[in-house]
Amino acid sequence: MRTRSRIFAAGASLALLTGACASGVGNGDGEPVTLAANPWPGSFANVHVAAQVMESELGIDVDITEIDENAQWSGLDGGELDAVLEVWPSGHGDNIETYIDDLGSVEDLGELGALGQIGWFAPSYVVDENPDMATWEGLEGNEEMFATAETGDSGRFLAADPSFVQFDEVIIENLGLDFEVVQSGSEAAQLTEVEAALDDGEPVLFYFYTPHWLHAKYDLELVELPEYEEGCEEPEEERTCGYPEDVLMKVAAADLDERNEEAYEFLVNFQMENEWQDEITFMIDEEGMEPDEAAAAWIEDNEDAWSAWLP
Amino acid sequence: MSEDGRAGDATSDAGTDAASDGSAPASGSNTATDGTAPKVVCEGLWKVFGPKPERIVNSSEADLPRDELMARTGCVAAVADVSFEVAPGEIFVVMGLSGSGKSTLVRCLTRLIEPTAGRIELAGRDVLASSDKELRDLRRNRVSMVFQHFGLLPNRTVRDNVAYGLEISGIDRATRYARADELIDLVGLGGFADSRPDELSGGMKQRVGLARAFANEPDILLLDEPFSALDPLIRAEMQTEVVRLQRQLDVTMVFITHDLREALRLGDRIAVMRDGRTVQIGTAAQLLEDPADDYIRDFTADVPRALVLTAGDVAEPLTGDGPSPEREIPADTLLRDCIPGVADGSGLRVVAEDGTVIGALGRRRVLDAIHGGRPTTDAASTARL
Amino acid sequence: MSSTLTERAEPDGAGTSGASGPRRARSVQVRPLGVVAVVALLAVVVAAVASASGTFPAAWRVPLGDGLDEVQDWVVRNRGSHWFFVGVLTPISTAIRALLMEIDAWLGLLGWPGVMLLIGTIATVVANWRVAIVSVAALVVIGLMGQWDDAMRTLALMSTAVAVALAIGVPLGVLSGRRPAVAAALRPLLDAMQTTPAYIYLLPLVFLFGIGDVPAVIATLIYALPPAVRLTALGIRTVPDDLLEVGRSSGGTSRQLLRTVQLPTALPSIRVGVNQTIMMALAMVVIGALIGGTGLGLGVLRGLQSVDVGRSLEPGVAIVLIAVLLDRITYGAGGRRRRGPAWRRPALVAGAFVAGLGLGALPFAREVPGAGILAFAEPVNQAWGAAESAIRGTTRAFSAVLLSFGLEPLRQGLLLIPWWLLILVVAVVAWRVVGAGVATFTVVAFGTTGALGLWPEAMNTASQLGVAAALAVAIGLPLGVAAGLSDRLDRALRPVLDTLQTMPAFVYLIPVVALFELGRVPGVIATVVYAMPPVVRLASAGIRAVPGSLVEAARSTGATRWQLLRTLQLPVARPQILLGVNQTIMMALASIVIAGLIGAGGLGFETVLGLTRGEVGRGFEAGLVIVLLGILLDRITQALGSDDEATRATVKTA
């Protein structure tokens, strides 16, 4: 039933939308809002918390559409989506330029409140045994430890889901390390492989990020790369520095404030700190709760936090 | 069934006309007219497959053997300069081996295959000059066709198959069903009207094919090897059936076959085709008694004459002198059945159905005819070895 | 000699143009193509001498994708205002959405009892009561697994896509069946529609039609349309000439011929087309979810994204059940003779529909009672967890062997061979096996690959494809032959093969990675699993089709079982077996992208980038190479096998 009401509502919102476009009237009090959920638990956590608070406290109908990160920009621009609550700016430079700066059809709603960090990760048991490996210099000369059948004598560096912008190949080459980058193809494949290695106590080095539920399940260490500084990524082919901290952001369709001012203001106020997100994603991934149940449980315990978002 | 069903004894005028015409010595007689307008006229018909087919028509190259013509021009003359006429009510058989062009010929008649050159007249209409609409009209109302593999639409009942042509002509359902049921009874399939083709035997299927062909009361029926796909017993039965229907419904037939026995049995006249050309056109007796060339001679060599020729076919004219034989025998008696009558050396008087005396038949004549006019017994038996 | 001539001269009802026409036309065509092929080969040699290098010269790179990226940019900037979007695409999208919502609403009104009654009735009416029981049982299981709502959404999406596909495909098929020129023009387009990995056009569809169920339906439509066109055209084309002559000699007009002869006679083939269209549409259920499509596909994707085997297996099993249900119903259709008045069957279905609406109004019709009691995600995950750690050591060892003795040497070898020599060799093979046309195409295809800068990726993919196809045939062929000889094995294999062919590959991606280590090997394994069924099925069918009289004749000479197989059954079944190999290779090609999702790299990975990184141009380039490679492989392997088009088309889709 849930799914059915969703498409009906989607159809209805389209009808309203075209109606609004035709008449040019922008006052749509109580108009439903469609939030994008990207395929990672953190995104689900944000969206379900926001949706439940908006529905119960503001009486706004919220639809959730599960969608790929790249396709979502077109959705915001085309009117099928109203807001995305967790954008990692480091991977979306082009989209931000096109849709926010040039077209102006998407609006920056400000920071989410969580910080993201992309980097190279290794299991703690590897770093504990080889303390040098806390930094990249320690990897030098020990690459073969990470070798697998696929990479032969070189060490294996497990790349991320291809939708993330990655510079590991360049960094590895410029740092003179003997790693072969193995493309994961999808986050699911990468996680499966990493978990297999972790369960077996094998060494593994991979691109990863926080916040992510994997950190709650396993002890992972961020391997230090040359620190990111403004401009160190230019020119790209000479880059040696690691990844900057991502200040996660929220975006919305540019006309959302005209169509549903209440929802717009709520989303501007909406915040999700790393710690909160970790709590929720842990409930989803380790306690087997559905995202909406986990969000409800968190809302129950954290009224102080979300009451501040209400307009 | 019995061999007595031979169509040569057809009582229709055309049948006797043909027979009398056939008694003339000419082997290339291709007309069957005696004043009434022919139902089918085919004149100088050509069908050439290949690039620029027109240039082959009546050219010297057309006389080349087939493979040579193919090698030189890339063309095949499937039908080359064929002419004949068919009288009303006649059964005209076109006989030839596979590849002789007979199927192409019959398809050219209604332009299922577009002829390259020539003139065709069906029921008095110039077929090649017809517009699409006139041609459709001709096919709907004047000419029907029966096919070797029956051509029954598998998804339709027997009734709907029989009524097919009428449906195409835009006849309303009640009328065409009534007519279809009539014909289904006529061909002896009463009770099968609601069956589907795949529930019928081969012979029954072709009965449906015949009923469908007769449904629009055509003047002309074209039958393309209609019984080739049937078992011999069923085939004989169907041959009898087709003669019966032809008499009852009085249609003119062009009957294609590769079976000499069938041709001899059914044909008022028979055209033998080879490599696209007609080698001989004539009655069964003419083919047997007066073959146009060695091809026909070899072809007919194994025919059991006693079972094909009739007293009328081989009767010698009565000469004034000598006594007229005492005993009479009908002209349509097979030679086999004349043997007891002539065995004792006495003669027989051959009489037509209307009582006129056609001629006389003696032992010598009967034996000669059965023997097939071969020079000596020795030569014949040597040739067999 | 003369017999062939007479065959030509006697068209035996081969239409008006005569049998010799097409054959001649071809022999005339071959000459210029031959010249082109020679010139192309010469060009390759000259180029080789000029460049004197092993990999394709980088200087010859053609940035085809950049142009596409510009187009994409233009689309993004103009789609709100340009007439083409406002006046053409928006109405299409609105119509599809309306149809989808309509079907969805009716399914909702029917509720679970209504849907079961309706589908059961349809199954009884078009197939038989046994199929009806299987169908209703499948629906019950779906309900008890707790997948009812998602399954109904998937059913609505599929029905919409299939309805539109048939509305377009059948008329197009009729046209192409009646006019060879249309067929010739459509063929490459249909080939491309079937071989282009969906990942390439997903993002463009999002730009053109937005996100959600509508572009998912359109993506499904693109993939599912070709069989509807092909099998309709095949049905029309293979109407026996004598039936057409019946119509013509009865004085039928062209339109009457279509209505009374061609369409009714082509109906069995069209029915297979409907069946195939539905099966193809089901194969797109998960792909559609990548751009906002909902239903079971989204469920599979969610399970995958949270690395939860059990959770993605549940909707996966539901998809298999729906596939089996729809396959049996559409396959059974027409198998039974219609008896009784023509209005009876529609009346029964209409009756069931009305009664179903009544049932749907009952209070318990909204939620399936006991929903979730058959949910098996948890036990599956536990069992999987135990099994995985138990066998991972062994499977990973196998993986290492396959890599170091199969995949890696082959890839290295392909990269070591100078590019021009490889083109030359393949072109010569293509020439010998098929003809000059395909040889020319080979040069063009490989040249394009090099010019797009995808040579190393293509070689990587080719090595995986070779190993996967070889493994699939090595396992599938003996299995198929054995099944052809043993009824019991054949019966046992059938549901397994059905499952392998309809289970979305996304469901078993996680297990293969866990067992075989992320990289090329899990891709190869997934490909073998996915691509093996056709060769098993066709080998079995081929052995079975060997006439009993021949087997008897061979037996009577005292042949042993092995001799019988070697001297008679295998040679006679050869065309079918080769067709199976062809199908297996094509399926393997289709799973290149799936392999790209689990670390296989190569062209599949490049294609995935087209969607996931928004690089439409790059994805398109890789996709183009896959399509070219696919058409090339298809033509060569098809030429090796049967050239009986009718068998091919039916089996291809079977």
Side-chain angles (χ1 to χ4, degrees), chain C residues 39 109 125 128 146 150 215 218 229 267 273 304 358 400 402 407 422 564 617:
Chain C
V39 170
L109 288 175
V125 164
N128 55 49
D150 281 350
I218 293 175
V229 180
L267 210 58
L304 178 73
L402 194 63
L407 286 165
L422 191 67
L564 197 67

Side-chain angles (χ1 to χ4, degrees), chain A residues 1 4 7 39 66 70 74 77-78 80 102 148 150 162-164 183-186 188-189 192-193 196 200, chain C residues 77 79 104 149 153 206 210-211 213 298 302 304-305 392 396 403 510 517-518 520 596-597 599 605 612-613:
Chain A
M1 292 308 103
R4 187 164 305 117
I7 191 164
E66 293 172 39
N70 276 289
S74 172
D77 177 73
E80 298 102 343
D102 290 3
T148 68
E150 184 70 44
S163 61
F164 305 137
Q183 298 295 347
S184 291
S186 58
T192 308
E193 181 63 22
D200 292 352
Chain C
R77 279 159 206 280
R79 63 180 185 157
D104 204 71
D149 289 350
R153 165 50 49 81
V206 166
I211 59 170
D213 285 320
L298 183 59
R302 273 190 199 142
L304 178 73
Q305 281 155 354
R392 191 158 63 206
R396 292 211 163 195
L403 261 175
I510 294 170
E517 183 188 319
L518 187 140
R520 285 170 280 169
L597 285 173
F605 180 71
T612 56
R613 211 173 278 175

Side-chain angles (χ1 to χ4, degrees), chain A residues 124-135 138-139 142 145-146 203:
Chain A
S124 300
Y125 54 77
V126 172
V127 182
D128 288 347
E129 249 176 60
N130 311 276
D132 287 353
M133 287 194 186
T135 69
L139 296 173
N142 291 319
M145 186 177 154
F146 298 94

Side-chain angles (χ1 to χ4, degrees), chain C residues 6-31:
Chain C
T6 49
E7 265 172 38
R8 275 164 189 241
E10 189 83 84
D12 276 330
T16 43
S17 60
S20 53
R23 274 186 246 183
R24 296 210 43 74
R26 200 169 86 181
S27 70
V28 174
Q29 264 177 8
V30 165
R31 295 265 159 73

Side-chain angles (χ1 to χ4, degrees), chain C residues 172-533:
Chain C
L172 213 56
V174 168
L175 200 65
S176 124
R178 301 183 99 199
R179 297 189 200 284
V182 175
L186 279 180
R187 188 175 177 197
L189 186 66
L190 296 177
D191 279 347
M193 284 165 81
Q194 277 192 309
T195 43
T196 306
Y199 265 82
I200 293 163
Y201 49 78
L202 286 181
L203 204 54
L205 282 180
V206 166
F207 290 127
L208 298 177
F209 296 99
I211 59 170
D213 285 320
V214 172
V217 165
I218 293 175
T220 308
L221 187 58
I222 291 175
Y223 189 61
L225 184 63
V229 180
R230 285 211 161 111
L231 283 151
T232 304
L234 178 76
I236 296 283
R237 242 194 341 266
T238 50
V239 169
D241 285 325
D242 54 341
L243 291 189
L244 278 180
E245 278 192 335
V246 167
R248 292 175 64 217
S249 72
S250 300
T253 59
S254 168
R255 186 182 286 236
Q256 282 177 322
L257 284 189
L258 179 64
R259 191 173 52 79
T260 61
V261 180
Q262 289 175 306
L263 279 180
T265 315
L267 210 58
S269 180
I270 296 176
R271 209 173 274 130
V272 177
V274 173
N275 174 288
Q276 288 309 304
T277 300
I278 292 175
M279 292 299 122
M280 297 276 166
L282 267 172
M284 290 292 282
V285 163
V286 182
I287 300 280
L290 289 169
I291 49 173
T294 50
L296 296 170
L298 183 59
V300 171
L301 214 54
R302 273 190 199 142
L304 178 73
Q305 281 155 354
S306 49
V307 200
D308 187 331
V309 180
R311 254 185 88 191
S312 62
L313 190 60
E314 280 176 356
V317 168
I319 290 173
V320 171
L321 289 174
I322 289 190
V324 168
L325 176 163
L326 292 175
D327 181 58
R328 296 294 183 271
I329 292 179
T330 50
Y331 191 77
R336 219 168 50 131
R337 183 160 311 290
R338 297 180 209 186
R339 282 282 176 219
W343 51 264
R344 222 183 86 201
R345 301 179 346 143
L348 270 173
V349 173
F353 184 71
V354 173
L357 287 178
L359 287 177
L362 297 172
F364 61 83
R366 301 289 121 211
E367 301 281 343
V368 180
I373 60 168
L374 279 186
F376 51 71
E378 277 318 305
V380 163
N381 279 342
Q382 281 161 11
W384 164 242
E388 181 206 344
S389 29
I391 59 172
R392 191 158 63 206
T394 322
T395 51
R396 292 211 163 195
F398 168 78
S399 184
V401 171
L402 194 63
L403 261 175
S404 31
F405 295 102
L407 286 165
E408 191 55 19
L410 189 56
R411 185 179 75 98
Q412 294 291 355
L414 284 172
L415 283 173
L416 218 65
I417 301 174
W419 60 273
W420 51 268
L421 185 62
L422 191 67
I423 297 183
L424 206 64
V425 169
V426 179
V428 167
V429 169
W431 198 335
R432 300 293 309 176
V433 173
V434 201
V438 176
T440 313
F441 183 79
T442 306
V443 176
V444 172
F446 277 73
T448 307
T449 306
L452 291 175
L454 289 169
W455 191 266
E457 285 80 4
M459 292 308 112
N460 185 6
T461 293
S463 66
Q464 295 173 39
L465 207 56
V467 171
L471 272 179
V473 172
I475 301 170
L477 185 57
L479 209 57
V481 170
L485 297 173
S486 151
D487 285 336
R488 197 189 296 169
L489 182 60
D490 194 62
R491 264 200 305 279
L493 276 180
R494 212 171 290 162
V496 177
L497 297 177
D498 281 348
T499 307
L500 290 185
Q501 277 190 311
T502 49
M503 177 70 79
F506 290 86
V507 173
Y508 47 81
L509 291 189
I510 294 170
V512 288
V513 169
L515 292 180
F516 296 98
E517 183 188 319
L518 187 140
R520 285 170 280 169
V521 178
V524 166
I525 302 296
T527 302
V528 170
V529 169
Y530 180 71
M532 201 170 57

Side-chain angles (χ1 to χ4, degrees), chain A residues 35-57:
Chain A
L35 300 179
N38 297 136
W40 60 83
S43 174
F44 273 82
N46 308 331
V47 167
H48 280 276
V49 168
Q52 285 178 23
V53 176
M54 283 165 90
E55 279 177 345
S56 63
E57 302 301 314

Side-chain angles (χ1 to χ4, degrees), chain A residues 69-70 73 87-102 163-165 167 246 249, chain C residues 77 613:
Chain A
E69 259 188 292
N70 276 289
W73 293 92
V87 174
W88 291 59
S90 64
H92 289 277
D94 287 351
N95 288 325
I96 289 169
E97 195 186 316
T98 306
Y99 293 92
I100 298 184
D101 300 346
D102 290 3
S163 61
F164 305 137
V165 176
F167 303 101
D246 257 308
M249 62 190 281
Chain C
R77 279 159 206 280
R613 211 173 278 175

